[in-house]
């Protein structure tokens, strides 16, 4: 399997430190507000990378932090007249809630900065002891970039050029303008902890590095984040690890491309953002995932609602195809003779699977993986049009299973999509009214309603049978009578 390593600027064979195991870390959010869909794209990319590694049989340990102490949180708390802890708690919960809605797997380890102070202080002490860091009279502690000959190795930057080219904050206490704070002296009213350097709080770069060392051990296999984190955040993380423990922080550095709007990076500061929450309030997670995964994780992704609507239609095509295959499979003779059409479809399923794996093995090319899935959708639709649903054989079930399996690796859950999500929730009320249905699932409600209609027809209670059908029609659904029995479908 090939993985693009940002540090070496090339694709490399993935060789885990411990055979069969991958330890990975992805920088988490600063919890001061709802995350936007740009942030969500990065978290999604690494969710799919993780899912694919698991699919390939690796035992993956995945850690992601919550930055719950930071200037942005303190500023937000001051604006709102609340404590920084309250703000951090609210948005930590909000973040986890939205990740669940977006079908992002929970990390195995979710350290929070405020609960890791000891590990960070220990790392800072290591750095001071080895002359890579220094405390100043104000109580700040800085990392000395000049003390690290390898500084710039990850981002490919040269300190002298950086000094000449970039304006950096002037601070008399720093020995070099690029020295960065490992520990920040507390200002009145800010969250702070006791330390050998007085009351203070950790710097952002300190946090991830110390947590990785404590929870995963260094080096880890994969360290990820958005490409905007390469400098200075990841450069500073790796400098600290190398200087403190004389080993790299990670063997593979992976960085996701930016989600953009009108070719401009989506960001809070530019104000050109949509929160994940507002997008998921209107669109299915599956459709948003599909849209994002149609682009390779390293490439920039231009977001628009037109493109998202396009993904909704594509998803619908996929879901309908799986449904039609399943319906066909229900009526198919399981031991029926395979004909030429079946053999072609069977081969298409095998090839789609192999192509998906080839694409994903090539630096997690989800765009190619999605194309393989839709290639199989086209083959299946052709098959169904040619043989008709009623004469299909057991090959259709295998094809549906392949589509679901591959979509599942991308975190696109077709079991849900093909069940409740397409049938309106009002169906449950209708089923309660006519069929005495007591559950909550629209799918089960549909079955109950259809059974009630069938029973009414049998009993020649035409009035009731028609009332049920009219109610169903009013919800934008149609009743289809097939060899396998009646079923409900959304009107096209
Ligand atoms: P932050 O809370 O700003 O540290 O961002 C959390 C994650 O989102 C980081 O991995 C960032 O690299 C990533 N990120 C921020 N903006 C974007 C964007 N427009 N597109 C993709 N990822 C982003
Ligand atoms: Zn980090």
């Amino acid at each position: 399997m090939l993985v693009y390593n940002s540090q070496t600027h090339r694709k490399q064979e993935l060789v885990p430190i411990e055979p069969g195991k991958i330890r990975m870390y992805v920088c988490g959010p600063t919890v001061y507000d709802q995350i936007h869909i740009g942030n969500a794209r990065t978290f999604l990319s690494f969710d799919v990378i993780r899912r694919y590694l698991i699919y390939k049989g690796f035992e993956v340990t995945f850690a992601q932090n919550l930055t719950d102490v930071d200037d942005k949180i303190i500023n937000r708390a001051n604006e709102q007249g609340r404590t920084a802890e309250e703000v951090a708690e609210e948005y930590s919960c909000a973040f986890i809630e939205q990740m669940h809605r977006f079908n992002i797997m929970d990390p195995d380890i979710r350290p929070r900065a405020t609960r890791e102070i000891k590990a960070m202080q220990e790392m800072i002490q290591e750095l001071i002891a080895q002359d890579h860091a220094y405390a100043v009279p104000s109580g700040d502690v800085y990392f000395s970039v000049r003390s690290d000959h390898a500084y710039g190795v990850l981002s490919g930057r040269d300190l002298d050029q950086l000094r000449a080219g970039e304006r950096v904050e002037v601070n008399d206490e720093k020995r070099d303008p690029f020295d960065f704070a490992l520990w920040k002296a507390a200002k009145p009213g800010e969250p702070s902890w006791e330390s050998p350097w007085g009351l203070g709080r950790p710097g952002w770069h300190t946090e991830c590095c110390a947590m990785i060392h404590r929870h995963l051990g260094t080096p880890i296999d994969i360290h990820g984040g958005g490409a905007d984190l390469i400098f200075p955040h990841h450069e500073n993380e790796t400098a600290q690890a190398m200087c403190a423990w004389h080993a790299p922080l990670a063997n593979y550095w992976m960085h996701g491309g930016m989600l953009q709007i009108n070719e401009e990076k989506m960001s809070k500061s530019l104000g050109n953002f949509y929160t994940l929450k507002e997008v998921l309030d209107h669109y299915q997670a599956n459709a948003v995932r599909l849209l994002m995964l149609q682009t390779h994780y390293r490439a920039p992704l231009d977001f628009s609602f037109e493109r998202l609507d396009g993904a909704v239609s594509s998803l619908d095509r996929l879901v309908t195809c799986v449904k039609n295959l399943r319906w066909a499979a229900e009526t198919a003779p399981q031991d029926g003779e395979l004909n030429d059409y079946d053999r072609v479809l069977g081969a298409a399923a095998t090839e789609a699977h192999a192509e998906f794996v080839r694409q994903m093995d090539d630096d997690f090319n989800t765009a190619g993986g999605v194309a393989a899935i839709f290639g199989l959708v086209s083959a299946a639709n052709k098959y169904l049009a040619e043989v008709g649903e009623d004469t299909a054989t057991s090959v259709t079930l295998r094809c549906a299973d392949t589509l679901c399996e591959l979509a599942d690796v991308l975190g696109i859950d077709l079991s849900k999509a093909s069940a409740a999500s397409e049938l309106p929730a009002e169906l449950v009320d209708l089923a309660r009214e006519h069929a005495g249905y007591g559950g909550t699932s629209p799918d089960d409600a549909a079955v109950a309603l259809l059974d009630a209609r069938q029973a009414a027809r049998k009993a020649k209670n035409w009035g009731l049978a028609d009332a049920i059908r009219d109610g169903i029609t009013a919800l934008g659904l149609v009743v289809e009578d097939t060899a396998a029995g009646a079923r409900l479908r959304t009107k096209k």
Side-chain angles (χ1 to χ4, degrees):
M1 243 182 116
L2 294 176
V3 172
Y4 184 89
N5 186 350
S6 322
Q7 180 154 1
T8 55
H9 305 284
R10 59 185 179 85
K11 289 182 193 171
Q12 290 171 238
E13 190 61 35
L14 179 65
V15 184
I17 295 166
E18 267 184 84
K21 294 187 181 172
I22 294 285
R23 284 175 293 138
M24 67 189 284
Y25 181 92
V26 175
C27 298
T30 305
V31 283
Y32 71 104
D33 205 343
Q34 289 283 349
I35 62 158
H36 59 64
I37 54 173
N39 307 131
R41 182 198 183 193
T42 293
F43 300 135
L44 169 66
S45 298
F46 288 97
D47 180 60
V48 171
I49 289 169
R50 175 189 187 189
R51 284 172 186 267
Y52 187 64
L53 290 169
I54 295 171
Y55 182 69
K56 291 284 281 191
F58 288 103
E59 190 186 305
V60 180
T61 308
F62 186 102
Q64 179 170 66
N65 66 315
L66 290 173
T67 299
D68 60 352
V69 56
D70 179 85
D71 288 339
K72 287 182 192 142
I73 300 172
I74 295 168
N75 293 343
R76 180 58 51 97
N78 290 341
E79 279 160 30
Q80 299 182 342
R82 297 200 285 165
T83 66
E85 289 81 359
E86 281 165 357
V87 170
E89 182 57 26
E90 176 183 344
Y91 290 110
S92 296
C93 293
F95 171 70
I96 293 168
E97 186 186 342
Q98 298 311 318
M99 289 291 96
H100 288 166
R101 285 178 85 193
F102 201 27
N103 200 22
I104 303 270
M105 288 168 72
D106 275 331
D108 300 303
I109 306 164
R110 195 187 321 260
R112 296 172 191 229
T114 53
R115 300 182 196 166
E116 305 282 330
I117 303 295
K118 188 163 164 276
M120 294 186 230
Q121 293 186 350
E122 282 169 6
M123 186 185 84
I124 296 170
Q125 276 169 318
E126 283 278 3
L127 290 169
I128 293 175
Q130 298 179 64
D131 281 335
H132 288 297
Y134 54 95
V136 297
S138 65
D140 291 347
V141 181
Y142 291 100
F143 181 88
S144 165
V145 291
R146 251 185 274 174
S147 76
D148 176 14
H149 300 299
Y151 192 82
V153 68
L154 176 66
S155 58
R157 288 171 204 226
D158 176 81
L159 265 181
D160 292 329
Q161 275 173 7
L162 274 176
R163 285 192 196 99
E166 288 189 28
R167 270 182 295 157
V168 281
E169 190 194 329
V170 181
N171 176 336
D172 289 343
E173 290 190 305
K174 287 190 195 178
R175 294 181 190 162
D176 186 290
F178 281 93
D179 287 354
F180 56 89
L182 296 168
W183 186 259
K184 298 181 178 183
K187 298 197 188 91
E190 287 184 358
S192 62
W193 290 264
E194 296 281 355
S195 83
W197 319 286
L199 277 182
R201 62 187 164 95
W204 175 37
H205 314 302
T206 319
E207 181 188 322
C208 294
C209 188
M211 291 181 192
I212 291 172
H213 188 65
R214 169 159 184 235
H215 291 283
L216 297 175
T218 48
I220 55 171
D221 295 290
I222 296 175
H223 191 318
D228 58 337
L229 296 189
I230 298 177
F231 188 87
H233 184 52
H234 288 167
E235 188 69 63
N236 292 351
E237 281 188 25
T238 196
Q240 293 166 84
M242 209 60 196
C243 290
W245 309 301
H246 313 285
L249 187 57
N251 285 352
Y252 301 85
W253 287 86
M254 296 181 71
H255 291 101
M258 292 294 105
L259 183 142
Q260 333 184 114
I261 285 222
N262 301 325
E263 299 184 3
E264 198 169 41
K265 178 189 168 190
M266 178 172 284
S267 75
K268 279 268 155 64
S269 52
L270 290 173
N272 60 350
F273 64 90
Y274 299 103
T275 65
L276 179 62
K277 180 178 183 306
E278 65 190 332
V279 171
L280 292 184
D281 282 347
H282 297 101
Y283 288 86
Q284 273 189 52
N286 278 342
V288 183
R289 290 180 76 108
L290 183 60
L291 168 72
M292 293 185 178
L293 297 172
Q294 281 165 344
T295 301
H296 188 275
Y297 78 89
R298 279 191 289 120
L301 184 154
D302 254 308
F303 177 84
S304 71
F305 284 101
E306 289 75 45
R307 290 193 67 194
L308 183 49
D309 288 334
V312 170
S313 307
S314 302
L315 178 69
D316 190 49
R317 215 171 135 237
L318 175 58
V319 169
T320 305
C321 178
V322 170
K323 270 188 160 183
N324 287 342
L325 288 168
R326 289 247 150 91
W327 280 327
E330 273 174 34
T331 52
Q334 292 305 305
D335 51 0
E337 280 278 299
L338 298 193
N339 59 31
D340 283 347
Y341 292 117
D342 299 322
R343 274 187 281 275
V344 169
L345 184 63
T350 305
E351 175 48 28
H353 192 282
E355 174 64 7
F356 180 89
V357 169
R358 263 196 302 277
Q359 294 291 340
M360 292 294 283
D361 274 354
D362 182 11
D363 191 31
F364 308 95
N365 185 359
T366 54
V370 167
I373 291 175
F374 280 92
L376 182 54
V377 168
S378 299
N381 286 343
K382 185 159 176 275
Y383 170 92
L384 290 171
E386 279 165 356
V387 307
E389 289 173 17
D390 294 343
T391 51
T393 68
S394 58
V395 173
T396 54
L397 191 59
R398 180 157 83 78
C399 185
D401 287 347
T402 302
L403 287 171
C404 291
E405 177 184 322
L406 301 183
D408 190 54
V409 178
L410 303 178
I412 294 174
D413 182 354
L414 296 184
S415 65
K416 270 191 219 141
S418 57
S421 61
E422 263 197 49
L423 299 176
E426 290 91 327
L427 200 71
V428 175
D429 294 333
L430 197 66
R432 281 207 184 100
E433 191 183 324
H434 291 294
Y437 174 67
T440 53
S441 150
D443 245 21
D444 293 346
V447 173
L449 263 183
L450 292 170
D451 286 351
R453 173 172 162 266
Q454 201 53 33
R457 285 166 113 192
K458 250 194 177 159
K460 298 197 168 34
N461 186 347
W462 306 116
L464 177 61
D466 286 350
I468 294 177
R469 195 204 49 225
D470 292 347
I472 289 172
T473 313
L475 293 176
L477 303 169
V478 278
V479 181
E480 275 184 359
D481 290 299
T482 75
R487 68 195 187 201
L488 289 187
R489 210 171 202 175
T490 40
K491 242 183 243 164
K492 284 274 173 278

